[in-house]
Amino acid sequence: MEPQPITLTRHILEKQADHPDATGEFSIIMAQIALAAKIIARNMSLAGLIDVLGKTGETNVQGESVQKLDKKANDTFVRVFEYHGGLVRSLVSEEMDKPLFVGPPLSGGRRQGKYALFFDPLDGSSNVDCNFTVGSIFSIHRVAEPSTLDSEVNLLKTGAEQVAAGYLLYGPSTVLVYSYGKGVHQFTLDPGIGEFVLSAPHLQIPSRGKVYSVNEGNYDKWPAGTQRFVDYLTEKDPATGRPYSGRYSGCLVADVHRLLSSGGVYLYPAETGKADGKLRLMYEAAPLAFIVEQAGGNASTGMQRIMDIRPETVHQRVPLIIGSREEVKLAEDFIQGRR
Ligand code: AHM
Ligand code: MG
């Protein structure tokens, strides 16, 4: 008899049994994220047929122009969680200036729900118009007991405090990768049954790789240590496996997903006039750091472990170097002047 596919729902429910005090809320949050992902994947598959391509004409809190699909993906996440009142009390998104407090109000200005969901609804959205891969990133924090009042300050948690994190990759197939702190598990959407099915349990990133991933057009704006690191990777030295191959998709999720299987390093470094780089800590760098560390890799600013950074604002940016242990350590050596 063929083995039964392990669906995301079954996987989560089985893991929930390991936590006798679990209330089931976390399991439903994951199910709702999977629902949002299916809706986004479907909209994406119709791009070109329905009016979802191009820009909205608006600029988001990051100062970037908003793609129609950015907005649609953001609205999908919000709708899915607003309708399921009480599951999360706050939503923080790349596409929303302020946190949205969605938990049903209790008396005295308080709200129900103990989790906050941070998300980048459509990562790499400049890829959408040419039908390239994009993703979504999510991070779940336990922020407060129902009795506390909401404020942005309660949301400023370190990556190490995440309860769970993961991403969706909308490529030739739709893939969901997540961790709740006990390994990294990959699910693939089977469109025939509309379910995410376990396709790779306990992913492990190789301790070193042969691929580097960076927007080299920015080379002249990087600090000297970063330039020397990339010079080192591209130098010919067969004894140490160099030069590395360059692969850069313009979608962080896709580049990190590649690293999970083949190893290597992705970087979006600091630049002249942009000391914190481009990527956002709470819904890009920290969730991917959680995943990559759970898979045995590392994530760093070059000076500090990403997971240890205490944010000052929910939209804070951070330089990111992420991937195999050896390459991330090597990058730190160059950036900190040890090499
Ligand atoms: P986004 O979330 O607005 O799409 O920005 C994040 C993206 C990453 O996915 C990608 O690695 C990077 O920005 C690409 O930036 P650049 O075009 O500067 O190389
Ligand atoms: Mg992004």
Side-chain angles (χ1 to χ4, degrees):
M1 203 168 64
E2 256 188 67
Q4 281 284 306
I6 299 177
T7 62
L8 179 65
T9 316
R10 177 173 152 198
H11 191 262
I12 295 166
L13 290 175
E14 280 177 7
K15 302 300 157 197
Q16 188 185 313
D18 297 344
H19 299 271
D21 53 335
T23 57
E25 282 159 288
F26 172 71
S27 308
I28 307 173
I29 293 174
M30 282 306 303
Q32 292 299 95
I33 290 172
L35 172 62
K38 287 182 222 173
I39 297 171
I40 293 169
R42 189 197 54 197
N43 286 335
M44 211 97 70
S45 71
L46 296 175
L49 300 177
I50 57 172
D51 179 30
V52 287
L53 294 179
K55 298 186 191 328
T56 62
E58 295 158 60
T59 305
N60 69 12
V61 63
Q62 329 284 341
E64 295 156 355
S65 56
V66 178
Q67 301 277 341
K68 286 183 191 160
L69 266 170
D70 279 326
K71 180 157 185 344
K72 215 169 169 53
N74 188 68
D75 292 350
T76 301
F77 268 97
V78 171
R79 248 189 8 249
V80 156
F81 283 96
E82 257 181 355
Y83 286 174
H84 216 302
L87 205 50
V88 297
R89 61 189 292 143
S90 28
L91 297 170
V92 177
S93 159
E94 179 177 330
E95 301 302 332
M96 300 192 295
D97 298 8
K98 295 265 169 232
L100 190 64
F101 297 112
V102 292
L106 304 170
S107 62
R110 297 174 165 83
R111 276 173 196 281
Q112 208 176 304
K114 57 177 183 272
Y115 292 108
L117 177 70
F118 295 74
F119 57 100
D120 176 356
L122 208 59
D123 176 58
S125 54
S126 66
N127 279 356
V128 157
D129 284 354
C130 47
N131 208 10
F132 283 6
T133 300
V134 290
S136 304
I137 309 173
F138 62 89
S139 160
I140 301 170
H141 279 278
R142 184 174 287 119
V143 281
E145 293 310 317
S147 55
T148 36
L149 291 169
D150 285 308
S151 81
E152 191 168 326
V153 176
N154 289 346
L155 298 171
L156 301 175
K157 301 278 185 182
T158 66
E161 292 173 293
Q162 289 170 103
V163 174
Y167 61 79
L168 278 307
L169 182 66
Y170 310 102
S173 58
T174 298
V175 167
L176 184 153
V177 172
Y178 92 111
S179 174
Y180 59 95
K182 294 207 170 135
V184 178
H185 311 289
Q186 175 184 301
F187 297 79
T188 302
L189 181 61
D190 179 340
I193 56 171
E195 291 271 12
F196 281 100
V197 175
L198 185 64
S199 47
H202 293 287
L203 293 179
Q204 282 289 309
I205 184 168
S207 62
R208 64 167 297 191
K210 289 181 176 308
V211 170
Y212 75 106
S213 195
V214 66
N215 184 344
E216 240 163 321
N218 296 327
Y219 183 94
D220 283 346
K221 298 186 234 163
W222 297 338
T226 307
Q227 290 178 333
R228 283 188 291 105
F229 173 57
V230 172
D231 292 345
Y232 172 86
L233 297 178
T234 52
E235 204 171 68
K236 187 169 177 199
D237 180 28
T240 52
R242 293 178 290 149
Y244 282 55
S245 287
R247 293 279 187 279
Y248 188 72
S249 71
C251 172
L252 169 67
V253 168
D255 288 328
V256 168
H257 188 68
R258 182 198 302 108
L259 295 180
L260 273 183
S261 52
S262 61
V265 63
Y266 169 101
L267 51 159
Y268 210 110
E271 291 175 4
T272 320
K274 276 206 241 164
D276 294 327
K278 172 179 183 185
L279 301 174
R280 278 59 48 129
L281 175 61
M282 296 202 75
Y283 42 80
E284 291 182 320
L288 294 177
F290 188 85
I291 292 288
V292 166
E293 283 200 5
Q294 279 291 316
N298 276 353
S300 166
T301 63
M303 303 299 289
Q304 187 185 6
R305 180 179 173 235
I306 293 286
M307 298 269 274
D308 288 338
I309 301 172
R310 170 77 55 193
E312 288 171 12
T313 71
V314 293
H315 294 299
Q316 179 169 328
R317 295 178 194 258
V318 72
L320 176 66
I321 300 161
I322 188 165
S324 293
R325 266 201 317 271
E326 290 197 23
E327 278 83 10
V328 174
K329 160 121 193 9
L330 200 57
E332 288 177 331
D333 286 346
F334 277 100
I335 289 167
Q336 294 175 27
R338 289 191 289 273
R339 292 185 64 132

